[in-house]
Amino acid sequence: MRYRLTFISGVAVGYVLGARAGRERYEQLRKSAQRIAQNPAVRNTVETAGQTGREAAVKAVDAVSAKVGDRLPPAVADRVRRLRAGNGRAQDDWGTSNT
C-alpha cells in the first residue's frame, strides 16, 4: 500500500508540474531527449548494455535449464531452444533492433 501511495503521489506531482510547464517546455525536453538518444556514445553504451544483458540471460537460461531439465513449461522450452539455436542473439519481440 505504501508503494502504491508513493506512486500515485508521484504521478500527481508530475502531472501538476507538467501542466504548469506547458507545451513549450515539453517540446524542449523531447528535443533534448532525442539529441541524447541519437548521440553515438549513448547508442554504443546502450548496445553494449543490451549485449551484456543478453549474454547474462543466456547464461541464466543455461543454468536454470540444466537444473530443471524437462520440467520446463513448453513455452519456456521453445524459447530456450530458440536462444540456443541463435547463440543468444535471438530477435526479441519488443520492436527494437539489434543495431
Side-chain angles (χ1 to χ4, degrees), residues 18-97:
R20 286 186 180 172
R23 182 73 178 184
E24 183 179 327
R25 180 66 180 148
Y26 168 77
E27 291 297 329
Q28 286 177 341
L29 292 172
R30 187 179 62 81
K31 287 178 184 177
S32 177
Q34 281 180 338
R35 245 184 322 198
I36 291 171
Q38 292 173 353
N39 184 338
V42 172
R43 292 178 68 119
N44 289 339
T45 302
V46 169
E47 180 61 28
T48 302
Q51 286 176 344
T52 304
R54 284 189 290 275
E55 290 169 4
V58 169
K59 288 179 184 177
V61 165
D62 288 341
V64 169
S65 63
K67 289 184 180 182
V68 178
D70 293 332
R71 296 180 302 220
L72 288 173
V76 175
D78 290 342
R79 183 66 177 164
V80 168
R81 277 192 288 278
R82 279 189 272 150
L83 280 170
R84 285 189 178 150
N87 294 327
R89 299 279 322 213
Q91 292 290 328
D92 59 23
D93 298 337
W94 296 93
T96 57
S97 67

